[in-house]
């Protein structure tokens, strides 16, 4: 059975928090011997946390965990309880500066989804993605 762990990094609504999350995620995966997942995991975390910071006013959180089945979950919680917009088809977005986030998540993760959630006493949502750690 794979080693299991669970980390949560609470962040302010600040664009610099995206870099903090990305670097923290890289360290977590390296320390757990999962360097092969780093590039894809960083992309997923960047898109999810960027959306949380860009589209909400409150705090957010990055959660990274490994399940007993060897799946690495990467997710972001934010204070907006509304469902995220459906992912864009990447070919249709083209060179646009925005609108690709969940399309990239959908293309790179084995699975992704969202669910209502609460942290800090506020309602919000948790948008998650899965990577197989093999």
């Amino acid at each position: 059975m794979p080693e299991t762990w669970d980390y949560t990094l609470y962040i302010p609504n600040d664009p610099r928090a995206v870099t903090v999350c990305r670097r923290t995620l890289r360290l977590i995966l390296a320390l757990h011997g999962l360097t092969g997942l780093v590039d894809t995991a960083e992309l997923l975390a960047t898109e999810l946390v960027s959306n949380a910071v860009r589209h909400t006013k409150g705090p957010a959180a990055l959660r990274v965990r490994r399940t007993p089945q060897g799946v690495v979950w990467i997710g972001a919680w934010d204070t907006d309880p509304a469902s995220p917009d459906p992912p864009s088809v990447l070919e249709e977005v083209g060179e646009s500066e925005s609108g690709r986030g969940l399309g990239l998540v959908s293309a790179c993760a084995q699975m992704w989804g969202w669910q209502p959630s609460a942290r800090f006493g506020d309602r919000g949502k948790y948008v998650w993605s899965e990577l197989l750690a093999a």
Side-chain angles (χ1 to χ4, degrees):
M1 181 180 303
E3 171 189 36
T4 61
W5 37 263
D6 193 338
Y7 296 89
T8 302
L9 176 63
Y10 298 95
I11 59 172
N13 189 287
D14 181 334
R16 296 171 291 195
V18 177
T19 300
V20 172
C21 288
R22 194 171 48 243
R23 291 183 179 170
T24 302
L25 173 65
R26 178 176 285 273
L27 181 61
I28 290 167
L29 294 175
L31 290 173
H32 287 286
L34 297 171
T35 55
L37 296 181
V38 167
D39 291 338
T40 303
E42 277 188 332
L43 174 68
L44 296 172
T46 297
E47 296 303 331
L48 296 175
V49 173
S50 293
N51 283 346
V53 170
R54 184 178 301 122
H55 299 296
T56 67
K57 303 280 187 234
L62 171 70
R63 184 175 182 196
V64 184
R65 71 183 186 114
R66 186 169 185 189
T67 69
Q69 296 77 27
V71 175
V72 174
W73 279 52
I74 300 164
W77 174 84
D78 66 50
T79 57
D80 183 356
S83 66
D85 291 334
S88 300
V89 176
L90 293 178
E91 291 79 22
E92 294 175 8
V93 177
E95 299 298 318
S96 175
E97 289 291 317
S98 64
R100 292 187 295 222
L102 284 180
L104 287 170
V105 170
S106 178
C108 295
Q110 272 71 41
M111 290 182 61
W112 80 275
W114 78 278
Q115 61 198 49
S117 184
R119 301 233 180 197
F120 307 110
D122 295 321
R123 290 181 20 179
K125 70 177 165 297
Y126 180 66
V127 183
W128 54 268
S129 59
E130 291 184 357
L131 289 175
L132 297 180

